[in-house]
Amino acid sequence: MALERTLSIIKPDAVGKNVIGAIYNRFETAGFRIVAAKMMHLSTEQAEGFYAEHKERPFFRALVDFMTSGPIMVQVLEGEDAVKRHRDIMGATNPADALAGTLRADYAVSIDENAVHGSDALESAAREIGYFFTEEELCARTR
Ligand code: RTP
Ligand code: MG
């Protein structure tokens, strides 16, 4: 296994529920280090660019509307096998299919408003981290 970095987003529904701290606690309990974080309210252009791979999908407009409906928390998580382990903690895209104890089982209400995002591969993690953070904003832990 290798030390990896992955992009996490706490989506507007979960920020609205005031569970940023609860979700950060899950990340830290799972052994991830948060090496960058910022709260943002995405513009339509920013959300469209982030989800460009889904541009032709029927849910694209709704996804962009949702992701711009309120502030989000964006963070970079670092840890062993981070991309896959973070996806495991998140649970399935549709909360109805998410395993008990996952973030989406606990905090998501529907496939459209599903609380969290996580990169799905190392390549997308690198692209998504670069979409929101400069290299200088990624803080290596010194202690
Ligand atoms: P995410 O990118 O947000 O981490 O979610 P994911 O990988 O589990 O799912 P993905 O296929 O990348 O879809 C991105 C987001 O689009 C919404 N979606 N809606 N109505 C639908 O059939 C549908 N499918 C996807 C979800 O909010 C999903 O998180
Ligand atoms: Mg995805």
Side-chain angles (χ1 to χ4, degrees):
M1 273 194 305
L3 197 65
E4 295 177 353
R5 286 174 171 175
T6 191
L7 188 87
S8 153
I9 298 177
I10 302 176
K11 295 184 178 182
D13 57 327
V15 172
K17 283 186 186 137
N18 219 20
V19 292
I20 295 169
I23 293 174
Y24 271 27
N25 189 30
R26 299 276 186 100
F27 294 155
E28 294 188 333
T29 301
F32 294 118
R33 289 173 182 275
I34 298 166
V35 298
K38 64 173 88 166
M39 182 174 270
M40 307 178 72
H41 193 145
L42 295 183
S43 66
T44 300
E45 292 70 28
Q46 284 175 311
E48 286 174 348
F50 182 73
Y51 278 119
E53 65 182 303
H54 295 311
K55 209 166 59 201
E56 308 303 333
R57 309 281 287 277
F59 57 80
F60 182 68
R61 217 60 260 161
L63 177 60
V64 169
D65 285 350
F66 167 59
M67 289 300 289
T68 57
S69 68
I72 60 173
M73 276 302 300
V74 188
Q75 44 282 322
V76 177
L77 306 181
E78 183 179 85
E80 290 290 327
D81 203 15
V83 172
K84 180 180 184 304
R85 287 205 306 116
H86 177 228
R87 295 284 291 191
D88 290 345
I89 289 171
M90 288 166 52
T93 308
N94 187 342
D97 302 326
L99 295 178
T102 60
L103 290 170
R104 282 170 167 163
D106 290 345
Y107 298 117
V109 288
S110 69
I111 191 168
D112 298 305
E113 303 204 355
N114 61 4
V116 285
H117 161 83
S119 309
D120 60 11
L122 260 186
E123 302 70 48
S124 50
R127 179 176 55 76
E128 293 177 358
I129 290 168
Y131 193 79
F132 288 116
F133 296 97
T134 64
E135 195 61 42
E136 295 71 42
E137 288 176 309
L138 306 176
C139 300
R141 293 294 184 96
T142 53
R143 51 194 293 168

